[in-house]
Amino acid sequence: MLGLPTTDEQLADTALIQLSWEEPEYFAGVFDRHAPLLHRYAARRLGPDAAEDVVSETFLAAFQHRHRYDVEQGDVRPWLYGIASNVIGKRRRAETTRYRAYVRSGVHPAEVAGGLVEDGVTTLAVNLPLVAALAALKPRDRDVLLLVAWVELTYEEVAQALNIPLGTVRSRLNRARKKVRQALDRNHATH
């Protein structure tokens, strides 16, 4: 295996991808840099066990299609999260089932394994209504909302990741935020 640059000399992701076209070992640098965050995102959506599979499938697809990556785009995060969103999309039913089970049981799925996956997990009073609202969203609206809220992609990056127009990102995000806000307001009014 090639000696990848140290932390002080890390190559940009695009350079690593370009180098991997001739020497595939360089792609490991992209994996090392982004796999933990992709795992965290997938675990929040599908649970830690499924997250491993999502990350594996995402990077397998990315590696297989690395020659198609447009290095002019710079940041590889939208590309990787777009692939991950497609992989998660194949598990839509599992994601919705997970959210609904959480709402019914009141136990955050990340707590079942004995620890929190996410440091930002707050009280059940906040999480239950939010999870119920997420479960009720159309999958495409949920993808946009979570890529903005959890991954902190820009609208332009979400458009790139999901291969949709910028206006579609805005309308889906607006719709998702409105539905989540309404669900949380209804919950607040009943408690």
Side-chain angles (χ1 to χ4, degrees):
M1 173 134 176
L2 296 174
L4 292 176
T6 64
T7 308
D8 296 332
E9 343 170 290
Q10 279 184 335
L11 291 171
D13 292 327
T14 54
L16 289 171
I17 290 173
Q18 284 180 301
L19 289 168
S20 79
W21 295 344
E22 298 297 322
E23 300 181 52
E25 296 85 6
Y26 273 100
F27 198 78
V30 176
F31 177 87
D32 291 344
R33 193 172 293 155
H34 296 282
L37 294 174
L38 275 167
H39 185 275
R40 181 177 173 177
Y41 176 70
R44 290 176 85 177
R45 292 194 67 174
L46 298 172
D49 294 337
E52 295 290 332
D53 292 338
V54 169
V55 171
S56 294
E57 288 180 46
T58 297
F59 278 99
L60 177 61
F63 181 78
Q64 290 172 338
H65 301 290
R66 70 191 186 281
H67 290 88
R68 291 189 212 160
Y69 176 72
D70 180 4
V71 294
E72 297 299 317
Q73 298 198 5
D75 189 359
V76 300
R77 290 179 329 131
W79 179 59
L80 292 172
Y81 281 99
I83 296 169
S85 293
N86 289 335
V87 172
I88 290 169
K90 296 174 187 173
R91 295 169 166 83
R92 292 268 184 236
R93 186 172 291 170
E95 180 182 28
T96 302
T97 300
R98 178 178 163 79
Y99 288 149
R100 289 183 179 145
Y102 174 41
V103 171
R104 280 192 311 272
S105 70
V107 177
H108 191 283
E111 294 172 352
V112 174
L116 295 179
V117 169
E118 175 57 41
D119 295 335
V121 174
T122 58
T123 65
L124 290 175
V126 172
N127 279 331
L128 285 174
L130 178 58
V131 170
L134 289 174
L137 291 176
K138 290 181 180 176
R140 62 186 189 199
D141 294 347
R142 184 170 49 234
D143 282 344
V144 170
L145 177 67
L146 297 180
L147 286 171
V148 169
W150 288 353
V151 181
E152 299 179 357
L153 292 182
T154 65
Y155 292 9
E156 293 80 9
E157 290 170 330
V158 172
Q160 181 184 346
L162 300 178
N163 197 27
I164 58 176
L166 184 58
T168 302
V169 170
R170 291 176 190 201
S171 63
R172 287 181 185 177
L173 185 59
N174 184 50
R175 184 172 42 247
R177 285 178 171 162
K178 183 178 178 181
K179 288 183 179 185
V180 168
R181 193 175 311 113
Q182 288 171 343
L184 294 176
D185 288 347
R186 277 192 307 272
N187 182 70
H188 182 70
T190 60
H191 288 96

mmCIF file of all heavy atoms in Angstrom, residues 125 129 182-191:
data_model
loop_
_atom_site.group_PDB
_atom_site.id
_atom_site.type_symbol
_atom_site.label_atom_id
_atom_site.label_comp_id
_atom_site.label_asym_id
_atom_site.label_seq_id
_atom_site.Cartn_x
_atom_site.Cartn_y
_atom_site.Cartn_z
ATOM 1 N N ALA A 125 -39.126 13.863 25.577
ATOM 2 C CA ALA A 125 -40.208 14.809 25.327
ATOM 3 C C ALA A 125 -39.988 15.564 24.026
ATOM 4 O O ALA A 125 -40.935 15.911 23.337
ATOM 5 C CB ALA A 125 -40.327 15.788 26.491
ATOM 6 N N PRO A 129 -41.863 13.473 19.602
ATOM 7 C CA PRO A 129 -42.633 14.196 18.577
ATOM 8 C C PRO A 129 -41.820 14.455 17.306
ATOM 9 O O PRO A 129 -42.355 14.396 16.207
ATOM 10 C CB PRO A 129 -42.997 15.518 19.254
ATOM 11 C CG PRO A 129 -42.800 15.299 20.705
ATOM 12 C CD PRO A 129 -41.788 14.222 20.854
ATOM 13 N N GLN A 182 -45.492 21.971 12.322
ATOM 14 C CA GLN A 182 -46.896 21.730 12.639
ATOM 15 C C GLN A 182 -47.051 20.547 13.594
ATOM 16 O O GLN A 182 -47.833 20.611 14.546
ATOM 17 C CB GLN A 182 -47.703 21.472 11.365
ATOM 18 C CG GLN A 182 -47.906 22.700 10.516
ATOM 19 C CD GLN A 182 -48.510 22.362 9.156
ATOM 20 O OE1 GLN A 182 -48.511 21.219 8.692
ATOM 21 N NE2 GLN A 182 -49.035 23.392 8.493
ATOM 22 N N ALA A 183 -46.322 19.485 13.356
ATOM 23 C CA ALA A 183 -46.400 18.306 14.224
ATOM 24 C C ALA A 183 -45.922 18.641 15.626
ATOM 25 O O ALA A 183 -46.532 18.224 16.619
ATOM 26 C CB ALA A 183 -45.578 17.159 13.651
ATOM 27 N N LEU A 184 -44.842 19.398 15.722
ATOM 28 C CA LEU A 184 -44.326 19.778 17.050
ATOM 29 C C LEU A 184 -45.271 20.744 17.754
ATOM 30 O O LEU A 184 -45.472 20.647 18.968
ATOM 31 C CB LEU A 184 -42.925 20.388 16.923
ATOM 32 C CG LEU A 184 -41.840 19.427 16.432
ATOM 33 C CD1 LEU A 184 -40.516 20.170 16.263
ATOM 34 C CD2 LEU A 184 -41.692 18.240 17.339
ATOM 35 N N ASP A 185 -45.870 21.655 16.996
ATOM 36 C CA ASP A 185 -46.855 22.578 17.575
ATOM 37 C C ASP A 185 -48.085 21.823 18.094
ATOM 38 O O ASP A 185 -48.583 22.107 19.174
ATOM 39 C CB ASP A 185 -47.284 23.645 16.568
ATOM 40 C CG ASP A 185 -46.203 24.676 16.302
ATOM 41 O OD1 ASP A 185 -45.204 24.736 17.067
ATOM 42 O OD2 ASP A 185 -46.337 25.411 15.303
ATOM 43 N N ARG A 186 -48.565 20.840 17.318
ATOM 44 C CA ARG A 186 -49.716 20.022 17.753
ATOM 45 C C ARG A 186 -49.361 19.283 19.034
ATOM 46 O O ARG A 186 -50.166 19.199 19.950
ATOM 47 C CB ARG A 186 -50.115 19.030 16.665
ATOM 48 C CG ARG A 186 -51.012 19.578 15.596
ATOM 49 C CD ARG A 186 -51.608 18.488 14.724
ATOM 50 N NE ARG A 186 -50.642 17.568 14.150
ATOM 51 C CZ ARG A 186 -50.007 17.750 12.999
ATOM 52 N NH1 ARG A 186 -50.223 18.835 12.294
ATOM 53 N NH2 ARG A 186 -49.163 16.860 12.552
ATOM 54 N N ASN A 187 -48.179 18.722 19.073
ATOM 55 C CA ASN A 187 -47.748 17.989 20.270
ATOM 56 C C ASN A 187 -47.652 18.914 21.466
ATOM 57 O O ASN A 187 -48.075 18.564 22.560
ATOM 58 C CB ASN A 187 -46.405 17.303 20.021
ATOM 59 C CG ASN A 187 -45.971 16.498 21.219
ATOM 60 O OD1 ASN A 187 -46.565 15.478 21.533
ATOM 61 N ND2 ASN A 187 -44.963 16.994 21.908
ATOM 62 N N HIS A 188 -47.095 20.095 21.263
ATOM 63 C CA HIS A 188 -46.944 21.062 22.353
ATOM 64 C C HIS A 188 -48.307 21.504 22.878
ATOM 65 O O HIS A 188 -48.496 21.669 24.084
ATOM 66 C CB HIS A 188 -46.134 22.262 21.871
ATOM 67 C CG HIS A 188 -45.888 23.274 22.939
ATOM 68 N ND1 HIS A 188 -45.047 23.023 23.995
ATOM 69 C CD2 HIS A 188 -46.383 24.518 23.121
ATOM 70 C CE1 HIS A 188 -45.033 24.082 24.788
ATOM 71 N NE2 HIS A 188 -45.835 25.002 24.265
ATOM 72 N N ALA A 189 -49.269 21.665 21.964
ATOM 73 C CA ALA A 189 -50.611 22.096 22.356
ATOM 74 C C ALA A 189 -51.340 21.030 23.177
ATOM 75 O O ALA A 189 -52.177 21.356 24.030
ATOM 76 C CB ALA A 189 -51.420 22.464 21.133
ATOM 77 N N THR A 190 -51.019 19.751 22.936
ATOM 78 C CA THR A 190 -51.705 18.685 23.660
ATOM 79 C C THR A 190 -51.031 18.357 24.991
ATOM 80 O O THR A 190 -51.560 17.617 25.786
ATOM 81 C CB THR A 190 -51.771 17.399 22.809
ATOM 82 O OG1 THR A 190 -50.455 16.959 22.497
ATOM 83 C CG2 THR A 190 -52.579 17.633 21.560
ATOM 84 N N HIS A 191 -49.844 18.913 25.215
ATOM 85 C CA HIS A 191 -49.142 18.603 26.475
ATOM 86 C C HIS A 191 -49.004 19.797 27.345
ATOM 87 O O HIS A 191 -49.024 20.824 27.349
ATOM 88 C CB HIS A 191 -47.739 18.041 26.215
ATOM 89 C CG HIS A 191 -47.817 16.643 25.672
ATOM 90 N ND1 HIS A 191 -47.759 16.371 24.326
ATOM 91 C CD2 HIS A 191 -47.970 15.440 26.282
ATOM 92 C CE1 HIS A 191 -47.848 15.072 24.149
ATOM 93 N NE2 HIS A 191 -47.991 14.483 25.317
#
